[in-house]
Amino acid sequence: QVQLVESGGGLVQAGGSLRLSCAASGRTLSPYVMGWFRQAPGKEREFVAGITRSGDSTPYADSVKGRFTISRDNAKNTVYLQMNSLKPEDTAIYHCAADFNFWSRPPTNSNEYLYWGQGTQVTVSS
């Protein structure tokens, strides 16, 4: 059984920064792909960013390109999301996801990820 635990959420003013972390445990092998999704009240869960184990593929949602950066530390089985220039529309619960199947590129469809964290709230005030 794989557990994902997110941390780093909070309240920040527009223009500020936050760094989210997601630690995976339960298996010795690091997940092949890890991703971040977010869900705002009344909206569908949407893809934010993903990363392969080697880090050679890091797709981003258009809405966060140039502001967010995903990275991972395989030795720590941890994925990070550095969020800069935050906007009120970034307010959501951010979920970490992981999958051990081979993907040449991290999927943007949430249905492709088997493991999920509980989420961490990010609130950006205007």
Side-chain angles (χ1 to χ4, degrees):
Q1 187 69 15
V2 174
Q3 293 84 38
L4 301 177
V5 179
E6 302 99 333
S7 61
L11 173 64
V12 65
Q13 288 189 329
S17 298
L18 283 174
R19 188 194 195 206
L20 306 184
S21 299
C22 172
S25 62
R27 288 180 65 167
T28 55
L29 187 64
S30 182
Y32 197 86
V33 291
M34 299 188 77
W36 287 98
F37 289 76
R38 66 187 182 186
Q39 187 165 19
K43 294 189 176 181
E44 298 281 323
R45 184 172 294 187
E46 64 174 356
F47 172 79
V48 176
I51 187 168
T52 50
R53 185 184 293 151
S54 66
D56 62 349
S57 180
T58 54
Y60 294 90
D62 288 342
S63 58
V64 307
K65 279 181 183 176
R67 300 188 298 122
F68 291 10
T69 303
I70 190 170
S71 61
R72 65 189 288 174
D73 183 337
N74 291 331
K76 297 180 179 180
N77 273 351
T78 300
V79 64
Y80 305 96
L81 186 68
Q82 178 66 43
M83 305 186 295
N84 298 328
S85 302
L86 282 161
K87 304 176 181 179
E89 50 264 43
D90 294 318
T91 295
I93 297 175
Y94 283 70
H95 295 270
C96 174
D99 198 74
F100 289 84
N101 290 321
F102 170 78
W103 295 94
S104 59
R105 186 177 186 273
T108 59
N109 186 335
S110 61
N111 292 328
E112 304 293 354
Y113 292 84
L114 182 59
Y115 301 102
W116 289 86
Q118 292 296 312
T120 185
Q121 177 71 47
V122 171
T123 303
V124 184
S125 63
S126 57

